[in-house]
Amino acid sequence: MSWLSELARADIRALSPYQHARWEPGLVRLHANELPWRAPCDESQAGLNRYPEPHPHELESRLALLYGVDAAWLLAGRGSDEAIDLLTRCFCQASRDAVLITPPTFGMYAVCARIQGAAVVEVPLRRETGFSFDLPAVRAALTQRDWVAKREGAVGPVKLVYLCAPNNPTGNSPAAATVLALARELEGRALLVVDEAYVEFSEHASLIQEMRHYPALVILRTLSKAYGLAGARCGAVIAAPEIIDLLRTIIPPYALAQLSIEAVFRTLQADHLAVAAERVGTIKRERERLAQALRLKGEVLKVWPSEANFLLVDFSDPGAVLERAHTAGLLVRDLRGSVGLHPSLRISVGTREHNEQLLASLS
Ligand SMILES: *Cc1c(COP(=O)(O)O)cnc(C)c1O
């Protein structure tokens, strides 16, 4: 057993997973208490009267192909949200271990940690430095936590360090060299979870191809953003097979609904993939156009550079902008309550028409 498994909770390592009904699609299923007829209006391929494959291996092979990894390195789940939940439960012992986050960032890292009873160590990104990733500050926080852990016994170490690249909601990415340096330093101590939910919209390459050389790296990908499948709830965690095997013991059987599995297969057909790639290009062009137009508006203080499909924008009166957008029938994200973001709203890049409506609501 390598350090990767030893990092996991001992009770999870010892767990025997739920024994699901056998999966032999060629045989008549009289072993799972399903109904033998389809429900009226069931238009699925496989029939929704049947349980889906307990662990969707074919789907995982398809996603592994999409992301350029061996299938043993990938686990599919209900969005990357489920991956975050599984990682937290697998590695953080309640009332002992911790995760490290760099707010403002995606909210689920802290929410999953709190549900699990894990501590949350925060190393804020600072507005003065353009919300850039602060490696020395992260190092210092980790050292201090280790020191507290040794001294107090009852307080455990940081097990997961989250890094969102590009970061939601600031839109920027840390340099690959910085991320890899941290991954190297964490070896033997913690996992570096890099959330690449928006990487398709970025000029930065995914770090997936580096994983073989950096065992501490865990990468999250999702079909919710660039592939337009948020409603299907499908994401993937990519990590060393030892970690994948552990996560597989705690993911519920039948996690992915049959309708979602079928939607993913259809979406990942070559002709549909070409459409997705073209749309990513359209969003990136529209993002730059919207950013330029916003900079000309009097109430806009700053449009932060973005590598994602949204813009972080500072306004002189963000409350008034929210109101006017709402009156025009548009929802934008209020970030005034987040660390360092009191003047800021987050605006998802829409169709040209939506973006024009937003601009018109401003002045
Ligand atoms: C939207 C988003 C996700 C995606 O979550 P899913 O559960 O896959 O829909 C993950 N991480 C970040 C940072 C996001 O903004």
Side-chain angles (χ1 to χ4, degrees):
M1 183 167 57
S2 85
W3 70 270
L4 289 169
S5 302
E6 275 171 36
L7 215 55
R9 286 165 48 196
D11 43 354
I12 296 290
R13 290 199 306 260
L15 190 76
S16 37
Y18 170 71
Q19 297 300 316
H20 54 72
R22 271 170 73 162
W23 179 255
E24 286 186 59
L27 304 187
V28 176
R29 293 169 62 90
L30 300 180
H31 71 326
N33 301 347
E34 300 155 341
L35 213 62
W37 310 283
R38 284 171 177 251
C41 311
D42 174 354
E43 287 171 8
S44 68
Q45 231 170 48
L48 297 181
N49 53 321
R50 302 299 180 188
Y51 280 98
E53 192 180 350
H55 292 292
H57 292 106
E58 248 185 274
L59 177 85
E60 288 179 342
S61 299
R62 184 65 195 86
L63 290 171
L65 188 68
L66 178 72
Y67 296 132
V69 292
D70 193 281
W73 287 64
L74 182 143
L75 177 77
R78 286 162 289 191
S80 13
D81 283 358
E82 179 157 54
I84 296 163
D85 180 52
L86 293 175
L87 283 163
T88 314
R89 286 193 283 139
C90 186
F91 289 95
C92 296
Q93 187 181 316
S95 309
R96 197 194 72 172
D97 297 334
V99 308
L100 186 147
I101 62 169
T102 58
T105 192
F106 188 49
M108 286 303 286
Y109 314 140
V111 168
C112 290
R114 298 212 164 95
I115 291 170
Q116 173 61 14
V120 179
V121 175
E122 299 193 357
V123 181
L125 302 172
R126 285 176 305 126
R127 165 175 283 271
E128 308 84 77
T129 60
F131 299 113
S132 67
F133 182 71
D134 188 349
L135 181 57
V138 168
R139 256 184 212 134
L142 287 168
T143 314
Q144 191 186 354
R145 178 84 191 179
D146 278 359
W147 182 76
V148 173
K150 281 206 187 80
R151 195 188 47 162
E152 299 193 353
V155 182
V158 168
K159 292 289 190 68
L160 306 171
V161 175
Y162 285 101
L163 222 165
C164 188
N167 186 39
N168 177 7
T170 56
N172 59 334
S173 291
T178 312
V179 181
L180 295 178
L182 180 58
R184 186 63 80 217
E185 288 171 30
L186 291 178
E187 262 170 48
R189 302 165 57 196
L191 300 179
L192 179 58
V193 184
V194 181
D195 185 344
E196 295 189 333
Y198 300 98
V199 75
E200 291 90 348
F201 301 99
S202 163
E203 302 307 315
H204 281 84
S206 165
L207 291 179
I208 287 175
Q209 295 313 318
E210 303 289 345
M211 298 191 77
R212 284 186 185 278
H213 312 294
Y214 295 88
L217 262 188
V218 172
I219 292 186
L220 306 181
R221 298 292 296 261
T222 178
L223 300 181
S224 293
K225 309 288 157 64
Y227 293 93
L229 281 187
R233 310 302 302 125
C234 181
V237 48
I238 300 166
E242 233 178 300
I243 296 180
I244 297 298
D245 290 345
L246 278 168
L247 298 178
R248 217 182 274 292
T249 62
I250 64 168
I251 191 171
Y254 318 113
L256 276 141
Q258 184 61 31
L259 285 175
S260 296
I261 294 174
E262 291 179 12
V264 171
F265 275 113
R266 283 197 303 273
T267 305
L268 298 185
Q269 285 163 9
D271 47 340
H272 294 165
L273 280 180
V275 173
E278 189 190 305
R279 287 178 172 174
V280 166
T282 305
I283 290 288
K284 284 162 72 178
R285 283 192 301 278
E286 201 54 28
R287 173 184 75 203
E288 297 317 311
R289 199 185 68 82
L290 179 61
Q292 284 304 334
L294 282 166
R295 288 189 182 104
L296 300 175
K297 297 285 182 183
E299 60 265 69
V300 172
L301 301 177
K302 186 175 176 77
V303 181
W304 294 84
S306 171
E307 298 186 43
N309 65 340
F310 55 80
L311 292 170
L312 179 71
V313 187
D314 296 348
F315 292 94
S316 47
D317 187 353
V321 171
L322 270 175
E323 282 285 299
R324 269 182 284 153
H326 193 260
T327 307
L330 306 165
L331 288 172
V332 297
R333 190 64 170 255
D334 185 2
L335 296 174
R336 290 174 296 171
S338 313
V339 196
L341 296 179
H342 31 90
S344 314
L345 305 177
R346 193 191 67 198
I347 302 170
S348 305
V349 179
T351 63
R352 176 168 283 232
E353 210 177 12
H354 297 147
N355 302 333
E356 285 304 319
Q357 285 169 21
L358 178 88
L359 289 164
S361 79
L362 287 179
S363 50

